[in-house]
Amino acid sequence: MFSFSMAELAMILVIALVVFGPGKLPEVGKALGKGIREMRQAVSSESEKKQG
């Protein structure tokens, strides 16, 4: 889906750390993961509806 190099991922992590701070970073990661998981489930359920 996305193709990031290690340097780009490190830069994104540093920016997120500066913006959100070290205390909020785990919460932000958890919320982001939950959102991605819900999006994937919605996409897969839509494709199942179209096939069935």
Side-chain angles (χ1 to χ4, degrees):
M1 188 168 151
F2 295 107
S3 174
F4 292 115
S5 69
M6 286 301 285
E8 292 170 335
L9 288 175
M11 185 59 71
I12 291 170
L13 182 61
V14 168
I15 291 171
L17 189 60
V18 168
V19 171
F20 296 112
K24 288 280 188 184
L25 205 54
E27 294 175 27
V28 171
K30 182 189 276 188
L32 184 61
K34 184 178 178 183
I36 291 171
R37 184 172 50 248
E38 289 176 359
M39 184 181 70
R40 285 183 180 170
Q41 288 175 349
V43 168
S44 67
S45 68
E46 280 297 316
S47 65
E48 288 175 6
K49 286 180 183 179
K50 288 181 181 180
Q51 291 176 359

